[in-house]
Amino acid sequence: FSLVSKQLSVCTPLSCLSMQMKLWNKYKVTSIPSLVFVDAATGKVVCRNGLLVVRDDPKGLEFPWGPKPFVEVVAGPLLRNNRQTTDSSSLEGHYVGVYFSAHWCPPCRSLTRVLVESYRTIKESGHKFEIVFVSADRSEESFKQYFSEMPWLAVPYSDEARRSRLNRLYGIQGIPTLILLDTEGHVVTRQGRVEVLNDPECRLFPWHPRPVLELNESNAVQLHEGPCLVLFVDAEEEGELEPAKELIQPIAEKLMAKYKAKEEETPLLFFVAGEDDMTDSLRDYTNLPEAAPLLTILDMSARAKYVRDVEEITPAVVEQFVGEFLAEKLKPEPI
């Protein structure tokens, strides 16, 4: 923090804004106030939800607040909606969905109805799978009412400390959020909500991240989580986006592998977009031309866009575009 503060004290207003946007993107900040703890020696995130740390540990007894294994944080009794309890050790060897939700939140209630069906489908297919509900309800009565609709497990509402630790562990900034863990407790995806809505038959479970996504209404929320490469193409029918996906997939896979090896999140998401009402709205919002194919990088949080205007889009063109963006050699245009 001292290094950042020193840099900010001598930068120009324009460069300050640029640095702030880079920090917002790097640490996936979607709301303020937000406090992120970083290991200065390695640059790696220690804790994304520092505000909860300060609230829960004002004396710093747990400093340096490094991440703990899920099995340690969740340890203790878990509830079933028939009022029986089971120990968290029953989760061993299971894929686990950690579900942050609340009854007062309309999108949460909508997702819960879909998630109940997905849960049953996955269980019936033979997967060892469980969900743990972490409530953000405002009263125990609301929690009980909401939990009565769920066939899975929950952290007791009275155990506020454990609920808070799970929020801290995954840096939860909004609900509903569904985190998918593998059988070893490692995060498979933080986009469980999007996956459940996009894959109602759960054919792709456990939803390992895909290098390239087809842009649609349910995953468009990811456009606000950081810079995204979006390749717009002239495609209206199902299957017509496949050539575009195949064109950029090797570049996306290479970038994912590079940052996975460094245990860092990929700094760029990849999408292909056809022609539909949602895509038209996105073009209008970002003031993009109607041309197709059109290669862009959209950075919603910085309200910036980058457009590569060429006659033919080839893998070499895409790779150069991505490389120049990551090297900060491109000049942004305002959205």
Side-chain angles (χ1 to χ4, degrees):
F1 285 110
S2 60
L3 175 61
V4 173
S5 298
K6 182 178 179 181
Q7 289 176 328
L8 289 175
S9 67
V10 298
C11 64
T12 66
L14 187 59
S15 61
C16 277
L17 181 60
S18 175
M19 183 181 295
Q20 289 167 11
M21 289 300 101
K22 289 175 188 174
L23 291 170
W24 276 63
N25 285 334
K26 181 176 179 63
Y27 299 117
K28 308 293 184 184
V29 174
T30 58
S31 61
I32 54 174
S34 185
L35 178 61
V36 180
F37 291 107
V38 179
D39 184 336
T42 64
K44 292 184 178 180
V45 173
V46 174
C47 177
R48 292 188 182 279
N49 211 328
L51 295 177
L52 283 180
V53 168
V54 172
R55 186 196 73 180
D56 296 345
D57 185 26
K59 295 183 179 180
L61 300 178
E62 297 180 26
F63 183 83
W65 304 305
K68 297 178 180 178
F70 169 73
V71 66
E72 181 178 336
V73 178
V74 80
L78 298 171
L79 298 178
R80 298 190 183 277
N81 63 12
N82 61 5
R83 299 185 181 181
Q84 294 182 346
T85 63
T86 185
D87 191 76
S88 59
S89 60
S90 66
L91 299 173
E92 185 177 348
H94 286 65
Y95 287 98
V96 177
V98 190
Y99 185 37
F100 299 85
S101 186
H103 187 264
W104 54 262
C105 163
C108 295
R109 296 198 301 272
S110 296
L111 179 61
T112 296
R113 287 192 289 270
V114 178
L115 187 55
V116 167
E117 295 305 315
S118 298
Y119 175 80
R120 289 170 176 157
T121 298
I122 295 167
K123 299 277 275 189
E124 289 168 3
S125 70
H127 288 287
K128 296 181 73 175
F129 177 59
E130 193 52 81
I131 292 177
V132 177
F133 170 43
V134 183
S135 173
D137 287 293
R138 292 165 177 162
S139 71
E140 185 147 13
E141 284 305 310
S142 293
F143 162 75
K144 289 179 179 177
Q145 179 184 351
Y146 193 29
F147 185 45
S148 68
E149 305 169 9
M150 302 176 182
W152 45 73
L153 304 174
V155 175
Y157 185 81
S158 58
D159 196 342
E160 185 177 355
R162 191 165 24 148
R163 290 191 288 123
S164 181
R165 286 196 297 270
L166 285 164
N167 273 273
R168 285 163 44 187
L169 179 62
Y170 297 114
I172 303 303
Q173 297 190 36
I175 56 173
T177 294
L178 178 63
I179 309 286
L180 262 295
L181 309 179
D182 65 17
T183 55
E184 301 296 321
H186 303 132
V187 173
V188 175
T189 179
R190 299 177 60 86
Q191 299 297 332
R193 174 189 183 184
V194 171
E195 299 294 352
V196 165
L197 295 176
N198 277 344
D199 184 24
E201 296 180 1
C202 305
R203 292 178 178 175
L204 300 176
F205 179 84
W207 301 306
H208 289 284
R210 295 183 295 286
V212 182
L213 299 174
E214 295 184 14
L215 188 63
N216 57 44
E217 289 187 3
S218 57
N219 64 27
V221 65
Q222 292 178 254
L223 292 174
H224 295 273
E225 295 185 357
C228 299
L229 182 144
V230 184
L231 174 56
F232 293 89
V233 295
D234 185 6
E236 296 182 1
E237 302 296 329
E238 187 174 349
E240 290 184 346
L241 290 173
E242 285 305 314
K245 290 174 67 175
E246 291 172 3
L247 187 150
I248 64 176
Q249 181 142 333
I251 296 125
E253 288 175 341
K254 182 179 177 181
L255 195 65
M256 286 180 68
K258 175 182 177 181
Y259 282 86
K260 184 177 181 179
K262 297 195 293 184
E263 298 183 345
E264 296 180 11
E265 293 188 30
T266 306
L268 192 63
L269 299 179
F270 290 76
F271 291 88
V272 293
E275 293 188 355
D276 53 34
D277 292 342
M278 196 214 68
T279 300
D280 290 342
S281 296
L282 178 60
R283 283 183 185 265
D284 290 341
Y285 178 75
T286 55
N287 196 27
L288 287 170
E290 293 296 325
L294 182 68
L295 184 60
T296 69
I297 291 176
L298 304 178
D299 189 345
M300 297 298 198
S301 62
R303 297 191 61 80
K305 65 186 178 187
Y306 307 82
V307 180
R308 183 52 49 96
D309 187 9
V310 293
E311 291 186 5
E312 182 182 4
I313 296 175
T314 64
V317 168
V318 176
E319 190 156 22
Q320 182 182 19
F321 187 47
V322 169
E324 290 176 355
F325 171 78
L326 295 176
E328 301 179 11
K329 293 180 179 180
L330 300 178
K331 183 178 180 180
E333 299 176 42
I335 291 178

